[in-house]
Amino acid sequence: MVFNLLADNLAWLWDVIAMVIALVILLIVVKINGRIQKSGKLPTYVTRKIVHILVAPIFLLTWLLFTGTPVSRYIAMVVPLLFVVQFTAIGTGLMKDEDSVRSMSRSGDPKELLQGTLYYAIAIFAVTLFWFYIPKTGIAGGNPAAFVIIGCLAGGDGFADIIGRKFGGEKTFGIGGAKKTIAGALGMFLGSFIFSMGLIAIFSLEIASFNLVQL
């Protein structure tokens, strides 16, 4: 999006401001969720998935704050990169952050953040680097691939777990010992579809037509 409250030659500075805003918003989400988990109002598996479902889509929505210049993607990807560093530091014991551990671990063990949580942050970093919605060719070649990927990663995987646990029952299937349910599979499909189409619809207000294959 061509969104810049500064002069054109200071577009990079506005992107830095947008990056800071995005980082603060995501940290607030994690902190609030950690406090909810600590209060015991929701089970741990739900609070974990709340973060899983919300963080990536919210980050993508903050892309609307960036100027859309060629440098925007590189400044935006600092946000997930910082989370990669944070999760690595927490998981290896170099840093303590109880809210993050409560929000994103099953057992409260900081080392868990070196697994799925870290991979999640790396995935968002890769999506930002390779599929930022405004390619180097300009806004006319807008690419919705990131919204589909994140829709499946966040909405699909997140709702698959919650719905599968709630309505899946005892009958499971899967490969290599995985325990999946029909309800969970439907949750994956619906979550992926709703989140992907929702993100595309929001960004379509800016870009009327997307190219699914152009990077």
Side-chain angles (χ1 to χ4, degrees), residues 1 8 11-12 15 66-73 132 134-135:
M1 182 176 187
D8 289 343
W12 64 270
D15 281 339
F66 290 82
T67 62
T69 60
V71 75
S72 293
R73 73 173 63 216
F132 189 76
I134 299 179

Side-chain angles (χ1 to χ4, degrees), residues 10-27:
L10 293 176
W12 64 270
L13 179 57
W14 180 255
D15 281 339
V16 171
I17 294 172
M19 180 268 291
V20 173
I21 293 172
L23 181 62
V24 170
I25 290 173
L26 297 185
L27 288 174

Side-chain angles (χ1 to χ4, degrees), residues 16 31 56-57 80 118 146 158 172 176-177 190 197 205:
V16 171
K31 291 292 183 182
L118 179 60
T172 62
L190 291 175
M197 293 301 102
L205 298 175

Side-chain angles (χ1 to χ4, degrees), residues 129-211:
L129 176 60
F130 295 111
W131 294 289
F132 189 76
Y133 80 111
I134 299 179
K136 296 177 182 179
T137 55
I139 195 169
N143 183 5
F147 310 133
V148 177
I149 295 170
I150 293 301
C152 295
L153 175 67
D157 186 57
F159 277 102
D161 187 32
I162 293 175
I163 294 176
R165 287 175 183 268
K166 184 70 174 179
F167 304 106
E170 299 296 328
K171 189 175 182 180
T172 62
F173 64 93
I175 300 174
K179 294 183 178 181
K180 308 298 181 182
T181 64
I182 297 297
L186 290 174
M188 175 73 182
F189 174 77
L190 291 175
S192 298
F193 181 81
I194 292 171
F195 272 68
S196 297
M197 293 301 102
L199 287 168
I200 290 174
I202 291 171
F203 281 83
S204 291
L205 298 175
E206 178 188 9
I207 302 177
S209 61
F210 278 117
N211 185 339

